[in-house]
Amino acid sequence: MFIFEWLNNQLLRMEWLSNLVKLLVENVFGLSIQERLGGSIHFYIYDVIKIFILLSVLIFTISYIQSFFPPERTRKILGRYKGVSANILGALLGTVTPFCSCSSIPLFIGFTSAGLPIGVTFSFLISSPLVDLASVILLASIFNWKIAIAYVVVGIVLAVIGGTIISKAKLEEYVESFVFGNKILEVDQEELTTRERMEYARDQVFEIIKKVWLYILIGVGIGAAIHNWIPENIISAVLGQDKWYSVLLATLVGVPMYADIFGTLPIAEALVLKGVGIGTALSFMMAVTALSLPSMILLKKVVKMKLLAIFAGIVTLGILIIGYSFNALGYLLM
């Protein structure tokens, strides 16, 4: 138990890095981390470096594993299952694809074109941006393993339920006809060598970091400002756990934004440190990643308004239920 705690603190929370940054701020910059400016600088440098280190290691590992499951192979695996089991598998496969909601949509088109039930592809579409292995590790590094595991479970459940509802409702007619008209070329999967897989994983690290670095810098900056400059009583007055509308407000605020989950995690961290309920913070994070306005605009190009509204309604209701549940049971998770 002691060894696990030590590894968790040093490898995930990177307490050694926090101490190094503290020395930098206090001995080089001449600032105290107990004061606003010094605390903000410490929060910013520590979180940025920690997130980029963890993200690089995790994306490399996940991408190496993912190299065994290219889209065509993934489609074939999904095609072997029917009903709820197919939705479960679609949601689980979404967790090993580190894509944002916008980049998941081309895969949604490919899967649907190949004849997979739309409910299965929607399960994939919900889980892919919402839950991935990298976000799990980062959640554990910021909060704890109980919250990280609970978040994964509810995210997968939401994806399975959402996809199952859409399957049962028989909404294929509300997918744009050109999606079904696309032809998928059947090709044999080329077996990659270990070196090629490692090169692929390395390229994925650079590719994803290139997409998310700005969101991380902005997200950590907002988190540092919330943590050190906005008084706790102001945040509590708006998003305190005693406010019945806090989860709803956090969800609505998150929808117009577009950021990767890695950019929203520092904001969620700062909100929780200021006394905001864990469910409220997670609702904001989930709304940004699963219901962002740009992804809705892209999805509107491949599905008709009724299906888009049903999808958004299911996910929004799920996020609200999850948010209020986490707030009510948060004391068991913290």
Side-chain angles (χ1 to χ4, degrees), residues 37 41 67 94 167 303:
L37 182 58
I41 294 173
S67 69
S167 289
V303 301

Side-chain angles (χ1 to χ4, degrees), residues 4-260:
F4 176 80
E5 184 178 349
W6 183 86
L7 289 173
N8 188 70
N9 289 336
Q10 298 303 320
L11 295 181
L12 293 184
R13 296 185 181 277
M14 295 190 188
E15 289 183 354
W16 58 270
L17 176 62
S18 179
N19 294 331
L20 286 177
V21 176
K22 179 182 178 182
L23 291 174
L24 173 68
V25 172
E26 294 184 340
N27 296 339
V28 177
F29 299 157
L31 300 170
S32 171
I33 64 171
Q34 304 304 320
E35 298 175 353
R36 283 184 175 179
L37 182 58
S40 298
I41 294 173
H42 179 273
F43 186 103
Y44 192 84
I45 296 175
Y46 165 62
D47 262 39
V48 165
I49 296 175
K50 181 183 74 171
I51 289 174
F52 276 119
I53 290 174
L54 285 175
L55 198 56
S56 298
V57 173
L58 293 168
I59 291 174
F60 184 92
T61 304
I62 294 167
S63 297
Y64 185 86
I65 296 171
Q66 189 189 348
S67 69
F68 292 92
F69 300 96
E72 178 60 21
R73 183 172 296 173
T74 302
R75 183 193 68 78
K76 288 181 178 178
I77 293 172
L78 287 173
R80 298 172 190 164
Y81 296 85
K82 304 294 181 184
V84 176
S85 60
N87 291 101
I88 294 173
L89 187 58
L92 290 174
L93 285 173
T95 65
V96 296
T97 53
F99 300 128
C100 65
S101 53
C102 290
S103 58
S104 299
I105 290 173
L107 283 176
F108 166 81
I109 295 173
F111 290 165
T112 306
S113 300
L116 292 179
I118 63 169
V120 176
T121 57
F122 268 104
S123 288
F124 176 90
L125 187 65
I126 294 170
S127 69
S128 183
L130 201 60
V131 182
D132 61 65
L133 298 180
S135 66
V136 175
I137 302 298
L138 285 173
L139 272 170
S141 73
I142 290 174
F143 300 114
N144 59 52
W145 278 104
K146 287 191 291 185
I147 289 176
I149 293 171
Y151 175 80
V152 173
V153 171
V154 297
I156 292 174
V157 169
L158 175 58
V160 172
I161 292 175
T164 301
I165 291 173
I166 290 173
S167 289
K168 298 296 184 183
K170 305 294 184 184
L171 297 170
E172 285 79 4
E173 63 182 293
Y174 297 103
V175 177
E176 295 292 350
S177 57
F178 77 88
V179 174
F180 295 108
N182 286 339
K183 299 297 182 183
I184 303 297
L185 180 63
E186 295 285 348
V187 293
D188 293 331
Q189 292 296 332
E190 179 183 358
E191 287 298 326
L192 301 177
T193 64
T194 299
R195 181 176 179 178
E196 289 171 332
R197 295 189 193 282
M198 294 185 70
E199 289 176 350
Y200 167 78
R202 180 202 61 197
D203 292 342
Q204 284 295 101
V205 171
F206 287 116
E207 184 68 23
I208 294 177
I209 292 292
K210 186 169 65 176
K211 289 180 180 179
V212 305
W213 70 268
L214 183 59
Y215 298 121
I216 293 173
L217 296 183
I218 293 173
V220 176
I222 294 173
I226 292 172
H227 181 52
N228 294 282
W229 295 92
I230 301 179
E232 187 172 325
N233 61 330
I234 293 178
I235 295 177
S236 296
V238 178
L239 292 174
Q241 291 198 55
D242 59 327
K243 302 298 186 294
W244 66 267
Y245 54 80
S246 62
V247 172
L248 177 61
L249 180 60
T251 303
L252 293 176
V253 168
V255 170
M257 299 184 181
Y258 177 67
D260 197 277

